[in-house]
Amino acid sequence: MLSVVPPKFHLTAPSFSADLTKGATLYVLAGTDITYSESSWTTSFENIMEIKE
């Protein structure tokens, strides 16, 4: 799914385990890295990078 607006997930029940996401990169659409970086996705992914078209 390609999403310009970050989907929300429940912070009380993390969607991804810390072991899985430690050091992992979440790739997002070009132009959306700031939006994702300011969202709740940063609780699971420290590295958020744009996909270059």
Coordinates of all heavy atoms in Angstrom, one line a residue:
M1 N 0.8 -1.2 0.0 CA 0.0 0.0 0.0 C 0.9 1.2 0.0 O 1.8 1.4 0.8 CB -0.9 0.0 1.2 CG -1.7 1.2 1.4 SD -2.9 1.1 2.7 CE -1.9 1.5 4.1
L2 N 0.7 2.1 -0.9 CA 1.4 3.4 -0.9 C 0.5 4.5 -0.3 O -0.6 4.7 -0.7 CB 1.7 3.8 -2.4 CG 2.6 2.8 -3.1 CD1 2.7 3.2 -4.6 CD2 3.9 2.5 -2.5
S3 N 1.1 5.1 0.8 CA 0.3 6.1 1.5 C 1.0 7.4 1.7 O 2.1 7.4 2.2 CB -0.1 5.5 2.9 OG -0.9 6.4 3.6
V4 N 0.4 8.5 1.3 CA 1.0 9.8 1.5 C 0.8 10.2 2.9 O 1.6 10.9 3.5 CB 0.4 10.8 0.5 CG1 0.9 12.2 0.7 CG2 0.6 10.4 -1.0
V5 N -0.3 9.8 3.5 CA -0.6 10.1 4.9 C -0.3 8.8 5.7 O -0.8 7.8 5.4 CB -2.1 10.5 5.1 CG1 -2.4 10.7 6.5 CG2 -2.5 11.7 4.2
P6 N 0.5 8.9 6.7 CA 0.9 7.8 7.5 C -0.3 7.1 8.2 O -1.1 7.8 8.8 CB 1.8 8.3 8.6 CG 2.3 9.6 8.1 CD 1.2 10.1 7.2
P7 N -0.5 5.8 8.0 CA -1.6 5.1 8.7 C -1.3 5.1 10.2 O -0.1 5.1 10.6 CB -1.6 3.7 8.1 CG -0.3 3.6 7.4 CD 0.2 4.9 7.1
K8 N -2.3 5.1 11.0 CA -2.0 5.1 12.5 C -2.1 3.6 13.0 O -2.9 2.8 12.4 CB -3.0 6.0 13.2 CG -2.9 7.4 12.8 CD -3.8 8.3 13.6 CE -3.5 9.7 13.2 NZ -4.3 10.7 13.8
F9 N -1.4 3.4 14.0 CA -1.5 2.1 14.7 C -1.5 2.3 16.2 O -1.2 3.3 16.7 CB -0.4 1.1 14.3 CG 1.0 1.6 14.5 CD1 1.7 1.4 15.7 CD2 1.7 2.3 13.6 CE1 2.9 1.9 16.0 CE2 3.0 2.8 13.8 CZ 3.6 2.6 15.0
H10 N -2.0 1.3 16.9 CA -2.2 1.4 18.3 C -0.9 1.4 19.0 O -0.1 0.4 18.9 CB -3.1 0.3 18.8 CG -4.5 0.3 18.2 ND1 -5.4 1.2 18.6 CD2 -5.0 -0.4 17.3 CE1 -6.5 1.0 17.9 NE2 -6.3 0.0 17.1
L11 N -0.6 2.4 19.8 CA 0.7 2.5 20.5 C 0.6 1.6 21.8 O 1.7 1.2 22.3 CB 1.0 3.9 20.9 CG 1.2 4.9 19.8 CD1 1.4 6.3 20.3 CD2 2.4 4.4 18.9
T12 N -0.5 1.2 22.2 CA -0.6 0.3 23.4 C -0.3 -1.1 23.1 O 0.2 -1.9 23.9 CB -2.0 0.4 24.0 OG1 -3.0 0.0 23.0 CG2 -2.4 1.7 24.6
A13 N -0.4 -1.5 21.8 CA 0.0 -2.8 21.3 C 0.8 -2.6 20.1 O 0.3 -2.5 19.0 CB -1.2 -3.6 21.0
P14 N 2.2 -2.4 20.3 CA 3.0 -2.2 19.1 C 2.8 -3.1 18.0 O 2.7 -4.3 18.2 CB 4.4 -2.3 19.7 CG 4.3 -2.1 21.2 CD 2.9 -2.6 21.5
S15 N 2.8 -2.6 16.8 CA 2.6 -3.4 15.6 C 3.9 -4.2 15.2 O 3.8 -5.2 14.6 CB 2.3 -2.5 14.4 OG 1.1 -1.8 14.7
F16 N 5.0 -3.7 15.6 CA 6.3 -4.3 15.3 C 7.1 -4.6 16.5 O 7.2 -3.7 17.4 CB 7.1 -3.5 14.3 CG 6.4 -3.1 13.0 CD1 5.7 -1.9 12.9 CD2 6.3 -4.0 12.0 CE1 5.0 -1.6 11.8 CE2 5.6 -3.7 10.8 CZ 4.9 -2.5 10.7
S17 N 7.8 -5.7 16.6 CA 8.6 -5.9 17.8 C 9.9 -5.1 17.7 O 10.4 -4.8 16.6 CB 9.0 -7.4 17.9 OG 10.0 -7.8 16.9
A18 N 10.5 -4.7 18.8 CA 11.7 -3.9 18.8 C 12.8 -4.6 18.2 O 13.7 -4.0 17.5 CB 12.0 -3.5 20.3
D19 N 12.9 -6.0 18.4 CA 13.9 -6.8 17.8 C 13.9 -6.7 16.3 O 14.9 -6.7 15.6 CB 13.9 -8.2 18.2 CG 14.2 -8.4 19.7 OD1 14.9 -7.5 20.3 OD2 13.7 -9.4 20.3
L20 N 12.7 -6.7 15.7 CA 12.5 -6.7 14.3 C 12.9 -5.3 13.7 O 13.5 -5.2 12.6 CB 11.1 -7.0 13.9 CG 10.7 -6.9 12.4 CD1 11.4 -8.1 11.7 CD2 9.2 -7.1 12.3
T21 N 12.5 -4.2 14.3 CA 12.7 -2.9 13.8 C 14.0 -2.2 14.1 O 14.4 -1.2 13.5 CB 11.6 -2.0 14.2 OG1 11.5 -1.9 15.6 CG2 10.3 -2.5 13.6
K22 N 14.8 -2.8 15.1 CA 16.0 -2.1 15.5 C 17.0 -2.1 14.3 O 17.3 -3.1 13.8 CB 16.7 -2.9 16.7 CG 17.9 -2.2 17.2 CD 18.5 -2.9 18.4 CE 19.7 -2.2 18.8 NZ 20.3 -2.7 20.1
G23 N 17.3 -0.9 13.9 CA 18.2 -0.8 12.8 C 17.5 -0.9 11.4 O 18.2 -0.7 10.4
A24 N 16.2 -1.2 11.4 CA 15.5 -1.3 10.1 C 15.2 0.1 9.6 O 15.1 1.1 10.3 CB 14.2 -2.1 10.3
T25 N 14.9 0.1 8.3 CA 14.6 1.4 7.6 C 13.2 1.3 7.1 O 12.9 0.3 6.4 CB 15.6 1.7 6.5 OG1 16.9 1.9 7.1 CG2 15.2 3.0 5.8
L26 N 12.3 2.3 7.3 CA 11.0 2.3 6.7 C 11.1 3.2 5.5 O 11.5 4.4 5.6 CB 10.0 2.9 7.7 CG 8.6 3.1 7.2 CD1 7.9 1.8 6.8 CD2 7.8 3.9 8.2
Y27 N 10.9 2.7 4.3 CA 10.9 3.4 3.1 C 9.5 4.0 2.7 O 8.5 3.2 2.8 CB 11.4 2.5 1.9 CG 12.9 2.2 2.1 CD1 13.3 1.0 2.7 CD2 13.9 3.1 1.7 CE1 14.6 0.7 2.9 CE2 15.2 2.8 1.8 CZ 15.6 1.6 2.5 OH 16.9 1.3 2.6
V28 N 9.5 5.3 2.5 CA 8.2 5.9 2.2 C 8.3 6.7 0.9 O 9.3 6.8 0.3 CB 7.9 6.9 3.3 CG1 7.7 6.2 4.7 CG2 8.9 8.0 3.5
L29 N 7.1 7.1 0.4 CA 7.1 7.8 -0.9 C 7.8 9.1 -0.9 O 7.9 9.7 0.1 CB 5.6 8.1 -1.3 CG 4.7 6.9 -1.6 CD1 3.3 7.4 -1.8 CD2 5.2 6.2 -2.8
A30 N 8.4 9.5 -2.0 CA 9.1 10.7 -2.2 C 8.2 11.9 -1.7 O 7.0 11.9 -2.1 CB 9.6 10.9 -3.6
G31 N 8.7 12.8 -0.9 CA 8.0 13.9 -0.4 C 7.2 13.7 0.8 O 6.5 14.6 1.3
T32 N 7.3 12.5 1.4 CA 6.5 12.2 2.6 C 7.4 11.9 3.8 O 6.9 11.6 4.9 CB 5.5 11.0 2.4 OG1 6.3 9.8 2.1 CG2 4.6 11.3 1.3
D33 N 8.7 12.0 3.7 CA 9.6 11.6 4.8 C 9.3 12.5 6.1 O 9.3 12.0 7.2 CB 11.0 11.6 4.4 CG 11.5 13.0 4.0 OD1 10.8 13.8 3.4 OD2 12.8 13.2 4.1
I34 N 9.1 13.8 5.9 CA 8.9 14.6 7.0 C 7.6 14.3 7.7 O 7.5 14.2 9.0 CB 8.9 16.1 6.6 CG1 10.3 16.5 6.2 CG2 8.4 17.0 7.8 CD1 10.5 17.9 5.6
T35 N 6.5 14.0 6.9 CA 5.2 13.6 7.5 C 5.4 12.4 8.3 O 4.9 12.3 9.4 CB 4.2 13.4 6.4 OG1 4.1 14.7 5.6 CG2 2.8 13.1 6.9
Y36 N 6.1 11.4 7.8 CA 6.3 10.1 8.5 C 7.2 10.3 9.7 O 6.9 9.8 10.8 CB 6.8 9.0 7.6 CG 5.8 8.3 6.9 CD1 5.3 8.7 5.7 CD2 5.3 7.1 7.3 CE1 4.3 8.0 5.0 CE2 4.3 6.4 6.7 CZ 3.8 6.8 5.5 OH 2.9 6.1 4.8
S37 N 8.2 11.2 9.6 CA 9.1 11.4 10.7 C 8.4 12.1 11.9 O 8.8 12.0 13.0 CB 10.3 12.3 10.3 OG 11.1 11.6 9.3
E38 N 7.3 12.9 11.6 CA 6.6 13.6 12.6 C 5.4 12.8 13.1 O 4.6 13.2 13.9 CB 6.1 14.9 12.1 CG 7.3 15.9 11.8 CD 6.8 17.2 11.1 OE1 5.7 17.2 10.7 OE2 7.7 18.1 11.1
S39 N 5.3 11.5 12.7 CA 4.1 10.7 13.0 C 4.5 9.6 14.1 O 5.7 9.6 14.5 CB 3.6 9.9 11.8 OG 4.5 8.9 11.4
S40 N 3.6 8.8 14.5 CA 3.8 7.8 15.5 C 4.7 6.7 14.9 O 5.1 5.8 15.7 CB 2.5 7.2 16.0 OG 1.7 6.7 14.9
W41 N 5.0 6.7 13.7 CA 5.9 5.6 13.1 C 7.3 5.7 13.7 O 8.0 4.7 13.7 CB 5.9 5.7 11.6 CG 4.7 5.1 11.0 CD1 3.5 5.8 10.7 CD2 4.4 3.8 10.6 NE1 2.6 5.0 10.2 CE2 3.1 3.7 10.1 CE3 5.2 2.6 10.7 CZ2 2.5 2.5 9.7 CZ3 4.6 1.5 10.2 CH2 3.3 1.4 9.7
T42 N 7.7 6.8 14.2 CA 9.0 6.9 14.8 C 9.2 6.1 16.1 O 10.3 5.9 16.5 CB 9.4 8.4 15.0 OG1 8.4 9.0 15.9 CG2 9.5 9.2 13.7
T43 N 8.1 5.7 16.6 CA 8.2 4.9 17.8 C 8.7 3.5 17.5 O 9.2 2.7 18.3 CB 6.9 4.8 18.6 OG1 5.9 4.2 17.7 CG2 6.4 6.1 19.1
S44 N 8.5 3.1 16.2 CA 8.9 1.7 15.8 C 10.1 1.8 14.8 O 10.9 0.9 14.8 CB 7.8 1.0 15.1 OG 6.7 0.7 16.0
F45 N 10.3 2.9 14.1 CA 11.3 3.0 13.1 C 12.1 4.3 13.3 O 11.6 5.3 13.3 CB 10.8 3.0 11.7 CG 10.2 1.7 11.3 CD1 8.8 1.5 11.5 CD2 10.9 0.7 10.7 CE1 8.2 0.3 11.1 CE2 10.4 -0.5 10.3 CZ 9.0 -0.7 10.5
E46 N 13.4 4.1 13.6 CA 14.3 5.3 13.8 C 14.7 5.8 12.4 O 14.9 7.0 12.3 CB 15.5 4.9 14.6 CG 15.2 4.6 16.0 CD 16.5 4.2 16.8 OE1 17.6 4.3 16.2 OE2 16.3 3.7 17.9
N47 N 14.8 5.0 11.4 CA 15.3 5.4 10.1 C 14.1 5.4 9.1 O 13.5 4.4 8.8 CB 16.3 4.4 9.6 CG 17.5 4.3 10.5 OD1 18.0 5.3 11.0 ND2 17.9 3.0 10.9
I48 N 13.8 6.6 8.6 CA 12.7 6.7 7.7 C 13.3 7.4 6.4 O 13.9 8.5 6.6 CB 11.5 7.5 8.2 CG1 10.9 6.8 9.4 CG2 10.5 7.8 7.2 CD1 9.8 7.5 10.1
M49 N 13.3 6.8 5.3 CA 13.9 7.3 4.1 C 12.9 7.3 2.9 O 12.1 6.4 2.8 CB 15.1 6.5 3.7 CG 16.2 6.6 4.7 SD 17.7 5.7 4.2 CE 18.2 6.7 2.8
E50 N 13.0 8.3 2.1 CA 12.2 8.3 0.9 C 12.7 7.4 -0.2 O 13.9 7.2 -0.4 CB 12.2 9.7 0.3 CG 11.6 10.8 1.1 CD 11.6 12.1 0.4 OE1 12.3 12.4 -0.5 OE2 10.8 13.0 0.9
I51 N 11.7 6.8 -0.9 CA 12.0 6.1 -2.1 C 12.3 7.1 -3.2 O 11.4 7.9 -3.5 CB 10.9 5.1 -2.5 CG1 10.6 4.1 -1.4 CG2 11.1 4.5 -3.9 CD1 9.4 3.3 -1.6
K52 N 13.4 7.0 -3.9 CA 13.7 7.9 -5.0 C 13.0 7.4 -6.2 O 13.2 6.3 -6.6 CB 15.2 8.1 -5.2 CG 15.9 8.6 -3.9 CD 15.5 9.9 -3.5 CE 16.2 10.4 -2.3 NZ 15.6 11.5 -1.6
E53 N 12.3 8.3 -6.9 CA 11.7 7.9 -8.1 C 12.6 7.9 -9.3 O 13.5 8.5 -9.4 CB 10.5 8.8 -8.4 CG 9.4 8.7 -7.3 CD 8.2 9.6 -7.6 OE1 7.9 9.7 -8.8 OE2 7.7 10.1 -6.7

